[in-house]
Amino acid sequence: MAQVHYHCDACNHRSEHLQRPGYCAHCGGPLTFGYDQAAMTPQPALPGIWRYAARLPIADPAAAVSLGEGNTPLLAARLDLGVRLFWKDETRNPTGSAKDRALAVAISKGRELGKRRVIIASTGSAGLSAAAYAARAGLAAAVLMPHGTPRDRAAVMHLFGADVMIISGSFEVIADVVERARKQYGWYEVTTARERNPFQAEGPKTIAYELVEQLAGVPDAVVVPTGGGGTLSGIWRGFQELHAAGAIPTLPRMYAVQNVHFNALERALRLGLTETHEIAALGIDSSRPTATPNLKHAVPPDWRSALRALRESEGDVVTVTDAEAIAGQAELAHHEGLFAEVSCAVVAPAIRRLLERGLVQPSERVVGMLSGSGLRDIAALAEHHPAAIRTLTPQESLTWLGHP
Amino acid sequence: MAQVHYHCDACNHRSEHLQRPGYCAHCGGPLTFGYDQAAMTPQPALPGIWRYAARLPIADPAAAVSLGEGNTPLLAARLDLGVRLFWKDETRNPTGSAKDRALAVAISKGRELGKRRVIIASTGSAGLSAAAYAARAGLAAAVLMPHGTPRDRAAVMHLFGADVMIISGSFEVIADVVERARKQYGWYEVTTARERNPFQAEGPKTIAYELVEQLAGVPDAVVVPTGGGGTLSGIWRGFQELHAAGAIPTLPRMYAVQNVHFNALERALRLGLTETHEIAALGIDSSRPTATPNLKHAVPPDWRSALRALRESEGDVVTVTDAEAIAGQAELAHHEGLFAEVSCAVVAPAIRRLLERGLVQPSERVVGMLSGSGLRDIAALAEHHPAAIRTLTPQESLTWLGHP
């Protein structure tokens, strides 16, 4: 870890040392990290995200807790959505989602800090990732999730050895329990919100680093399915770091994709909201059923840094319906051979919308983030698509194969 | 494709040109491929398995049908099974299994040959892969599977646009339908058996190439969950090619892991069987239910080359029970943070058995193949493990977190 320093995002206090892990010693606000600008060159000796270890807040990357996260493919799209399109296939991470980058950093830091017990509030993806990395690290883990989380996913967390609890109450209520467990009982919290764990927030920026290498340049636009907002703002921070170091000449525009019924960022951007209570006052009902559960936040925990990414990059928010998301999943599978979960398949209709609105141009290079694998939600397929599996005799099948 | 030539595995006829795709012009036997020995150096310009394109039977690797297959992590084991153990994490391939290497080659070749319609007989993994790559290639696909294939997996194939058929009859009956569809109606067969499609059989050898690079040397033993036998014999061919070219000084021993009730290779090795009818006469009942469906072959299609790999490498077969496989899955999840399907979790108990029998030594470097991801069979978890997900109030959860 080369020359990292810490400064508070709330009071701007700067320190070379970490007083209270992850929080400002003066005001308790969330810390951000600054790195030696000389260390912007990847180190090929380490795999995946650890190639960028000089820009991650881990003391000894060789001792990091790793399942081989990162280094995911960037695939040229076959689908003609009207732009020069690439898919960043984050489904290829160890537990099938981009959250693995965040949790690899968070759990590595936890072990470095001597923590023994990890806790997380999650709607599913981050919890799965936390359970896997805690197992890899030999740490105990507790995953707290709201009602409605698919039981299949919870069963996998349990197999990893995590204590899995479904809690009656909203995500905000659960986050409060987790914070009290941290304060009162010393659990190490890895909830993927920057104010809850600043280390994990450094993980997603490695996506930006990889994109610049894979494209041998800077994309014009990056389109990100957005739930809590941490992945979006993390990617933006990665581009900003590269730009500040003079490693890239331009910056991309960042576009968030929200579900039309969970559009806190869109409304906050339009209305110029600046306080959490204003977002909460929008009255978004997080108990509303949706086909995109990972986008289901009334108050996205990282809304502040996500909005900042959208404004600074001159990006925007587009919204997508459940039906469009479900159709997007089928389109990605049928035309690209990619099985994305419905929550991230929103990028396909979103890119069409961006083009219609003139926000992206046909000549531009656009990256669509496929944040999570559909394999973790196969059961949802049966809900969205009528069964079309035929049972045939050998002769019936041969007859059909002769005249398909 | 540098200097590939073809020779028949049955009559040894050699040709520089491919007369009838994949089969010997003289006797119809299965073709194998020979490559320019000078071309043993990886080409880093292409990703994944295509780094080794000079040793794959594809004319233009830049035009290959790719989902970013290969280049999977090799993870040092945390579990102490008594040897220097590494996991080759093939769950990280595009559809979650090592079959993606085979199908990427088969479908790329199919498109190169101008094929429009792809057909496969599969017990699940290869069918999923075929459906994804056919979608990526823009080809029609038909997947024929026996009764008992998980419907969840079939639903994903359908989403990829494949025609999915469950056929009444054994795998052998289904393979016969597929062969007739190829001969009578011109379907391009990609069943992962070397006699059915010799191109796909070249895919698994890239695992050997990667292992040698990742270990910076040759492992002492490679332990492979074995169903049809193609992955085992493909890996062995990769090591043989490297050895013949002088790129590696030694060869590993290959160990096949079979289910104790589907142990055709073990019995054939002990009894010295040399003909398919002798294997069939063992009377293994492929309709018997098992927790390891991917290992469920009465007559492993690639039994001949698999046995040859075991004999030539001075390896062996070990067998594992359903209960051991299920326990192995939990052990890999809990101690390694890896979610392997039950069919490949057999490697963990198998390695213990190899050590007990003195077939591997504590000082040796052993690679365990994790061939397929458990995410494709989450539903099976509920069968094997009682639900342990608790539903709690916020106060109940906090009380527990204080005294875990």
Side-chain angles (χ1 to χ4, degrees):
Chain A
M1 183 175 63
Q3 302 292 339
V4 65
H5 62 264
Y6 306 88
H7 58 266
C8 175
D9 210 45
C11 77
N12 223 22
H13 174 76
R14 178 176 163 142
S15 169
E16 301 302 319
H17 302 285
L18 202 59
Q19 299 294 332
R20 178 185 149 203
Y23 298 90
C24 174
H26 281 234
C27 76
L31 293 181
T32 56
F33 305 94
Y35 300 90
D36 177 6
Q37 291 296 2
M40 298 306 279
T41 309
Q43 295 150 314
L46 291 171
I49 69 169
W50 306 104
R51 298 178 66 220
Y52 312 105
R55 285 170 275 173
L56 293 173
I58 301 296
D60 179 9
V65 181
S66 177
L67 290 163
E69 50 289 335
N71 191 25
T72 58
L74 184 72
L75 299 169
R78 284 189 67 246
L79 263 178
D80 183 5
L81 297 186
V83 295
R84 294 162 63 197
L85 181 58
F86 301 84
W87 303 116
K88 182 62 171 166
D89 188 5
E90 288 293 290
T91 72
R92 302 285 298 282
N93 279 300
T95 74
S97 90
K99 293 291 186 189
D100 289 329
R101 297 177 188 263
L103 271 300
V105 176
I107 302 283
S108 293
K109 193 68 188 184
R111 196 166 66 174
E112 185 183 311
L113 295 169
K115 304 292 182 182
R116 301 295 307 154
R117 297 183 304 171
V118 168
I119 193 167
I120 188 167
S122 168
T123 57
S125 290
L128 185 62
S129 183
Y133 283 89
R136 185 82 185 154
L139 307 180
V143 181
L144 280 69
M145 297 184 292
H147 277 286
T149 303
R151 290 188 84 81
D152 278 355
R153 203 172 288 190
V156 185
M157 298 175 200
H158 179 67
L159 194 73
F160 282 129
D163 270 299
V164 184
M165 292 174 244
I166 307 294
I167 309 295
S168 45
S170 67
F171 188 82
E172 288 72 23
V173 167
I174 295 168
D176 180 59
V177 170
V178 167
E179 184 161 27
R180 288 168 64 190
R182 174 179 70 77
K183 286 182 175 167
Q184 294 176 25
Y185 305 123
W187 288 79
Y188 174 61
E189 181 176 1
V190 295
T191 303
T192 54
R194 199 161 68 93
E195 298 198 8
R196 295 312 190 90
N197 185 306
F199 308 113
Q200 61 78 27
E202 298 293 277
K205 71 182 183 184
T206 57
I207 294 170
Y209 303 159
E210 291 180 14
L211 287 176
V212 168
E213 288 189 60
Q214 289 171 315
L215 289 168
V218 185
D220 296 293
V222 181
V223 186
V224 187
T226 301
T231 303
L232 177 85
S233 50
I235 296 173
W236 175 240
R237 188 169 329 115
F239 283 114
Q240 284 185 308
E241 282 186 14
L242 290 173
H243 192 253
I248 55 174
T250 59
L251 287 162
R253 303 188 305 284
M254 302 295 297
Y255 293 100
V257 191
Q258 292 196 294
N259 186 297
V260 69
H261 294 298
F262 302 92
N263 63 340
L265 291 179
E266 181 183 49
R267 291 162 74 183
L269 191 67
R270 304 280 180 266
L271 297 168
L273 306 186
T274 58
E275 300 300 330
T276 299
H277 69 82
E278 294 176 314
I279 310 261
L282 293 171
I284 290 172
D285 174 14
S286 67
S287 71
R288 183 191 178 105
T290 172
T292 66
N294 296 53
L295 309 187
K296 190 178 165 179
H297 281 275
V299 181
D302 281 313
W303 70 267
R304 198 184 295 273
S305 45
L307 277 189
R308 195 160 62 189
L310 299 178
R311 289 194 185 108
E312 289 175 351
S313 76
E314 301 178 0
D316 207 336
V317 184
V318 285
T319 57
V320 167
T321 65
D322 272 13
E324 288 172 319
I326 291 167
Q329 184 189 43
E331 186 176 33
L332 284 167
H334 204 137
H335 295 282
E336 301 283 10
L338 295 168
F339 185 36
E341 65 185 351
V342 175
S343 292
C344 78
V346 294
V347 289
I351 289 164
R352 281 207 179 83
R353 193 142 301 154
L354 287 169
L355 193 72
E356 285 163 12
R357 292 197 187 154
L359 293 171
V360 298
Q361 306 303 319
S363 63
E364 291 190 320
R365 292 201 295 187
V366 176
V367 172
M369 285 285 298
L370 300 183
S371 318
S373 169
L375 289 174
R376 300 164 314 147
D377 276 317
I378 292 183
L381 271 188
E383 297 170 28
H384 302 318
H385 302 276
I389 315 302
R390 288 169 295 169
T391 301
L392 303 172
T393 66
Q395 186 52 51
E396 287 168 343
S397 65
L398 194 62
T399 301
W400 185 88
L401 291 164
H403 307 88
Chain B
M1 182 173 66
Q3 303 291 338
V4 65
H5 62 264
Y6 307 88
H7 59 265
C8 175
D9 211 46
C11 76
N12 223 21
H13 174 76
R14 178 175 163 143
S15 168
E16 301 301 319
H17 301 285
L18 202 59
Q19 299 294 332
R20 175 183 150 205
Y23 298 88
C24 174
H26 282 236
C27 76
L31 293 182
T32 56
F33 306 94
Y35 301 90
D36 177 7
Q37 292 295 2
M40 298 305 279
T41 310
Q43 296 150 316
L46 291 172
I49 69 169
W50 306 104
R51 298 177 68 221
Y52 312 104
R55 283 169 277 172
L56 294 172
I58 302 296
D60 179 10
V65 181
S66 177
L67 290 163
E69 51 290 334
N71 190 25
T72 57
L74 183 72
L75 299 169
R78 282 189 67 246
L79 263 178
D80 183 5
L81 297 186
V83 294
R84 295 162 63 199
L85 181 59
F86 300 84
W87 304 116
K88 182 62 171 168
D89 188 5
E90 288 293 290
T91 73
R92 301 286 297 283
N93 280 300
T95 75
S97 90
K99 292 291 185 187
D100 289 329
R101 297 179 190 262
L103 271 299
V105 176
I107 302 283
S108 293
K109 193 68 188 181
R111 196 165 70 173
E112 186 183 309
L113 295 170
K115 304 293 183 182
R116 303 294 307 153
R117 298 183 303 170
V118 168
I119 193 166
I120 189 168
S122 169
T123 57
S125 291
L128 185 62
S129 184
Y133 283 88
R136 185 81 184 156
L139 307 180
V143 181
L144 280 67
M145 297 184 293
H147 277 285
T149 303
R151 290 189 84 80
D152 279 355
R153 203 172 287 190
V156 184
M157 298 177 199
H158 180 65
L159 194 74
F160 282 129
D163 271 299
V164 185
M165 292 174 246
I166 307 294
I167 309 294
S168 46
S170 68
F171 188 82
E172 288 72 23
V173 166
I174 295 168
D176 180 58
V177 170
V178 166
E179 185 162 26
R180 288 169 64 191
R182 173 178 73 76
K183 286 183 175 165
Q184 293 176 27
Y185 305 123
W187 288 79
Y188 174 63
E189 182 175 1
V190 296
T191 303
T192 53
R194 197 162 69 93
E195 297 197 8
R196 295 313 189 91
N197 185 306
F199 308 113
Q200 61 79 28
E202 297 292 278
K205 71 182 183 182
T206 58
I207 294 170
Y209 302 160
E210 291 180 14
L211 287 176
V212 168
E213 289 190 57
Q214 290 172 315
L215 289 168
V218 185
D220 297 292
V222 181
V223 186
V224 187
T226 302
T231 302
L232 176 86
S233 50
I235 295 172
W236 175 241
R237 187 166 333 115
F239 282 113
Q240 284 185 308
E241 282 187 14
L242 290 172
H243 192 255
I248 55 174
T250 58
L251 287 164
R253 304 188 304 282
M254 303 294 297
Y255 293 101
V257 190
Q258 292 196 296
N259 186 298
V260 69
H261 293 297
F262 302 92
N263 63 340
L265 291 179
E266 182 184 48
R267 291 162 73 183
L269 191 66
R270 305 276 180 270
L271 298 169
L273 306 186
T274 58
E275 299 301 329
T276 299
H277 69 83
E278 294 175 315
I279 311 263
L282 293 171
I284 290 172
D285 175 13
S286 67
S287 71
R288 184 190 177 104
T290 172
T292 65
N294 296 55
L295 308 187
K296 190 179 165 177
H297 281 274
V299 182
D302 281 314
W303 70 267
R304 197 184 297 271
S305 45
L307 277 190
R308 195 160 62 188
L310 299 178
R311 290 194 185 108
E312 289 176 349
S313 76
E314 301 178 1
D316 206 336
V317 185
V318 285
T319 57
V320 167
T321 66
D322 273 12
E324 288 173 319
I326 291 167
Q329 183 188 43
E331 186 175 35
L332 285 167
H334 204 136
H335 296 281
E336 300 283 10
L338 296 168
F339 184 35
E341 65 185 352
V342 175
S343 292
C344 78
V346 293
V347 289
I351 289 164
R352 281 207 180 84
R353 193 143 302 154
L354 287 170
L355 194 71
E356 285 163 12
R357 292 199 188 154
L359 293 172
V360 298
Q361 305 303 319
S363 63
E364 291 191 318
R365 293 202 296 188
V366 177
V367 172
M369 285 285 299
L370 300 182
S371 318
S373 170
L375 289 174
R376 302 166 310 148
D377 276 318
I378 293 183
L381 272 188
E383 296 168 30
H384 303 316
H385 301 277
I389 316 302
R390 289 169 295 169
T391 301
L392 303 172
T393 66
Q395 186 52 52
E396 286 168 345
S397 65
L398 194 61
T399 301
W400 186 88
L401 290 164
H403 307 86

